[in-house]
C-alpha cells in the first residue's frame, strides 16, 4: 500500500541570501511573514496568504555546503530543519511538504516499496509541542517531499520556529488568493509515465484528466502552430467526481519536439534539470487580485496582441459574464471547458464552465519559477487556449532575449 498524504502543508524554496524573494512575497504578493528560524548559516522564513504557506530557506554567507550534512540536518547544527539542503546554487522551489497521520508507518511503507528516505523519521520538540517528520526524494529533478505529523503541536508553525511579523492577520480581503490550486512540474522529455507511476505507488495519487481527449497513459498533447506540450495531472485527495475540491493538483508538463524556444526547455536548462516550474494560487476574484498585485509591482506575462480579437474570443468572454475590455486591461486569459474535461463525470445539461488565468514573469533572474493566479468558475481542468496563449507570449519573449 502507498503512504497516503492528508493535506498539503507548505511549499519550500531554497535561495541564496539577498535574492529579494521574501521582500517580493511580502511587498508584491501580499504574503505575511508569520514564523522564523535563524541559525549562523541559514534563515528559514514562513509566509502565509490564507491557506497558502511558503517556507523560504535562505543560505546565509559562508553556509556550509549541502554535502556537509550527508545524513540530513539535525536541529541546531546550522542546517535546514524539515528539509534536505539544496544540491545546486540556483534559486528553486524544491520541497512540497505534506501532513500525514503517522510518519513512522508512512516511512516504513515507503522503504518497503523501495523508496529510500533522505531523512529518516525525526522528532523535533519545543515549548509548544512536538512534530515528527521524514523526507523522501521525488523522482522529479531536485524535488523532495517532507512528510510531517503536527497533530501534537500548538505553535505558530513548527518546532524550532518562533512567531514572527508584527501584523496580525486581519479580516481577509475576499479578493485575495487563498490557497494553492496546483503545482506544475517541468519534466524532462519522455518522463511523464514514470512520474505518474512514482506518485501513484509512493503516495497513492490518482490520475486526473486534463482533457477528455487525453491518452490515459501519455497525457494530453497540445501541439501545432508553434506549441508543443504534453500535460498530465494527478491529485491526492478524495476529490469527488468533479475534481472541484480544495486539494492542490499536480500537473506534469514536458515539451514535445517543436521548433523554437519554449518555456519548459528554458526551465530545464536554466534550473539545471526538472523541478517545480510554477504554482497556481486560487483566487475568487482574479480581476481584483491581478489589479492589486500589479499595483504592488508584480509583472505579468502579456498575452499575444491578437488574443482578445481572435474569432469568437470577446463573445466567449461576454457569454461567461465577463468584460473583454477589463480582462484585456489586466492581461487575464479566459477559457471555457467542455463537459468531460477536467475530470468531470459529465452531465446531461451543458453548463457554462470556465476558468481565468494570469501568469507572472519568472520571479528569479533565471527563466525558471513563476506564479499564476487562477479563478475557477466550475472548470476543474486547465484551459488549452490559455496555455497556447501563454506559450506563444513566452516564446516571443525568449526569442527576443537571444
Ligand atoms: O495552465 C496551467 O496552469 C498549467 O499548469 C499548464 C501549463 C504547464 C506548463 C506550461 O509551460 C504552461 C502551462
Amino acid at each position: 500500500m502507498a503512504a497516503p498524504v492528508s493535506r498539503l502543508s507548505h511549499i519550500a524554496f531554497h535561495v541564496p541570501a539577498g535574492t529579494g524573494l521574501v521582500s517580493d512575497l511580502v511587498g508584491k504578493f501580499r504574503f505575511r511573514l508569520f514564523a522564523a528560524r535563524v541559525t549562523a548559516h541559514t534563515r528559514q522564513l514562513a509566509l502565509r496568504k490564507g491557506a497558502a504557506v511558503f517556507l523560504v530557506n535562505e543560505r546565509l554567507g559562508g553556509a556550509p555546503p549541502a554535502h556537509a550534512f550527508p545524513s540530513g540536518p539535525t536541529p541546531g547544527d546550522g542546517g535546514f530543519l524539515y528539509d534536505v539542503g539544496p544540491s545546486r546554487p540556483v534559486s528553486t522551489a524544491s520541497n512540497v511538504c505534506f501532513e500525514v497521520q503517522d510518519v513512522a508507518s508512512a516511512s516504513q511503507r515507503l522503504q518497503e516499496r523501495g523508496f529510500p528516505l533522505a531523512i529518516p523519521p525525526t522528532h523535533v520538540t519545543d515549548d509548544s509541542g512536538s512534530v515528527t517528520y521524514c523526507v523522501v526524494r521525488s523522482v522529479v529533478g531536485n524535488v523532495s517531499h517532507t512528510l510531517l505529523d503536527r497533530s501534537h503541536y500548538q505553535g505558530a508553525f513548527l518546532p524550532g520556529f518562533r512567531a514572527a511579523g508584527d501584523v496580525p492577520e486581519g479580516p481577509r480581503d475576499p479578493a485575495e488568493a487563498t490557497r494553492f490550486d496546483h503545482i506544475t512540474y517541468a519534466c524532462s522529455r519522455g518522463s511523464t509515465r514514470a512520474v505518474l507511476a512514482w506518485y501513484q505507488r509512493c503516495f497513492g495519487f490518482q490520475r486526473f484528466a486534463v482533457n477528455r481527449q487525453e491518452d490515459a497513459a501519455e497525457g494530453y498533447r497540445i501541439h501545432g502552430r508553434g506549441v508543443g506540450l504534453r500535460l498530465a495531472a494527478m491529485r491526492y485527495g478524495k476529490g469527488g467526481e468533479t475534481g472541484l475540491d480544495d486539494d492542490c493538483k499536480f500537473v506534469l508538463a514536458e515539451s514535445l519536439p517543436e521548433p523554437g524556444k519554449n518555456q519548459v526547455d528554458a526551465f530545464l536548462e536554466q534550473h539545471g534539470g526538472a523541478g517545480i516550474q510554477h504554482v497556481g494560487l486560487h483566487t475568487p476574484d482574479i480581476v481584483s487580485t491581478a489589479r492589486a498585485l500589479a499595483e504592488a509591482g508584480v509583472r505579468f506575462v502579456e498575452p499575444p496582441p491578437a488574443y482578445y480579437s481572435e474569432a469568437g474570443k470577446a463573445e466567449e468572454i461576454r457569454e461567461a459574464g465577463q468584460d473583454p475590455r477589463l480582462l484585456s486591461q489586466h492581461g487575464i486569459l479566459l477559457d471555457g471547458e467542455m463537459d468531460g474535461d477536467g475530470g468531470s463525470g459529465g452531465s446531461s445539461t451543458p453548463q457554462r464552465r470556465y476558468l481565468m488565468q494570469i501568469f507572472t514573469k519568472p520571479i528569479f533572474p533565471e527563466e525558471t519559477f513563476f506564479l499564476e493566479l487562477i479563478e475557477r468558475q466550475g472548470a476543474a481542468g486547465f484551459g488549452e487556449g490559455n496555455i497556447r496563449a501563454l506559450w506563444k507570449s513566452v516564446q516571443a519573449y525568449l526569442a527576443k532575449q537571444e
Side-chain angles (χ1 to χ4, degrees):
M1 204 180 129
V5 300
S6 312
R7 61 179 287 275
L8 199 151
S9 164
H10 61 266
I11 298 172
F13 291 95
H14 280 275
V15 296
T19 50
L21 175 60
V22 170
S23 62
D24 281 356
L25 287 174
V26 172
K28 296 183 181 172
F29 289 96
R30 298 165 146 215
F31 275 73
R32 195 177 60 82
L33 175 68
F34 71 99
R37 172 179 183 264
V38 182
T39 71
H41 297 297
T42 60
R43 183 161 50 204
Q44 298 184 273
L45 302 174
L47 302 113
R48 171 193 297 287
K49 178 159 164 152
V53 176
F54 282 129
L55 176 59
V56 179
N57 294 312
E58 290 182 338
R59 303 181 287 285
L60 304 179
H67 57 72
F69 307 107
S71 59
T74 52
D77 67 2
F80 295 104
L81 196 46
Y82 307 109
D83 204 351
V84 281
S87 53
R88 289 187 291 262
V90 69
S91 294
T92 182
S94 59
N95 188 302
V96 181
C97 175
F98 293 107
E99 288 188 20
V100 296
Q101 273 170 7
D102 182 346
V103 174
S105 70
S107 62
Q108 196 185 336
R109 279 189 208 158
L110 291 174
Q111 282 169 301
E112 280 165 9
R113 310 220 83 191
F115 304 113
L117 297 178
I119 301 182
T122 304
H123 203 61
V124 194
T125 308
D126 70 10
D127 292 347
S128 304
S130 66
V131 158
T132 308
Y133 76 97
C134 67
V135 180
V136 60
R137 278 189 213 278
S138 163
V139 70
V140 176
N142 68 340
V143 177
S144 56
H145 297 288
T146 297
L147 306 181
L148 57 82
D149 170 12
R150 59 151 69 89
S151 58
H152 302 290
Y153 193 67
Q154 285 81 43
F157 183 48
L158 292 168
F161 282 73
R162 58 176 173 74
D166 38 76
V167 194
E169 192 158 34
R172 214 179 277 157
D173 176 350
E176 289 280 2
T178 50
R179 62 178 168 80
F180 296 128
D181 179 273
H182 63 275
I183 295 169
T184 297
Y185 291 155
C187 298
S188 45
R189 230 172 249 175
S191 67
T192 293
R193 257 177 205 250
V195 177
L196 289 169
W198 191 90
Y199 277 91
Q200 198 170 22
R201 272 175 57 87
C202 201
F203 297 138
F205 278 22
Q206 289 158 32
R207 189 65 187 282
F208 169 79
V210 178
N211 187 290
R212 63 178 156 175
Q213 282 155 18
E214 84 178 51
D215 181 279
E218 302 289 345
Y220 185 52
R221 284 158 52 94
I222 304 178
H223 61 115
R225 285 180 283 148
V227 182
L229 180 66
R230 184 197 302 285
L231 288 183
M234 44 194 192
R235 63 165 186 242
Y236 57 86
K238 291 168 199 75
E241 276 292 283
T242 61
L244 283 168
D245 50 277
D246 281 356
D247 287 344
C248 178
K249 297 180 191 80
F250 283 72
V251 180
L252 314 182
E254 63 171 84
S255 69
L256 298 170
E258 280 281 335
K261 290 249 158 203
N262 73 69
Q263 209 171 10
V264 172
D265 293 341
F267 179 98
L268 296 176
E269 198 183 300
Q270 298 194 27
H271 181 257
I276 299 177
Q277 180 217 35
H278 76 264
V279 170
L281 295 168
H282 174 267
T283 169
D285 181 350
I286 197 167
V287 173
S288 304
T289 308
R291 183 189 293 125
L293 298 197
E295 278 168 7
V298 172
R299 290 163 60 239
F300 291 106
V301 174
E302 285 161 27
Y307 178 81
Y308 299 95
S309 53
E310 266 165 27
K313 195 68 202 175
E315 200 162 51
E316 184 185 1
I317 294 174
R318 268 193 293 271
E319 278 174 8
Q322 300 291 333
D323 176 355
R325 280 221 343 243
L326 197 59
L327 296 198
S328 92
Q329 240 171 43
H330 296 289
I332 295 167
L333 308 167
L334 181 145
D335 227 334
E337 191 170 86
M338 314 281 284
D339 277 343
D341 292 348
S344 161
S347 67
S348 49
T349 43
Q351 285 172 4
R352 185 152 294 141
R353 299 195 307 255
Y354 65 96
L355 57 92
M356 292 182 284
Q357 293 166 288
I358 185 167
F359 301 87
T360 74
K361 297 234 166 104
I363 66 171
F364 299 125
E366 299 82 20
E367 294 297 325
T368 53
F369 181 84
F370 57 92
L371 287 164
E372 168 190 341
L373 300 176
I374 181 162
E375 176 181 338
R376 295 186 181 277
Q377 294 295 342
F382 299 89
E384 174 171 343
N386 290 358
I387 294 167
R388 283 184 182 277
L390 169 71
W391 195 265
K392 281 184 201 158
S393 303
V394 174
Q395 204 173 39
Y397 170 77
L398 289 172
K400 252 196 263 166
Q401 301 282 93
E402 287 195 312

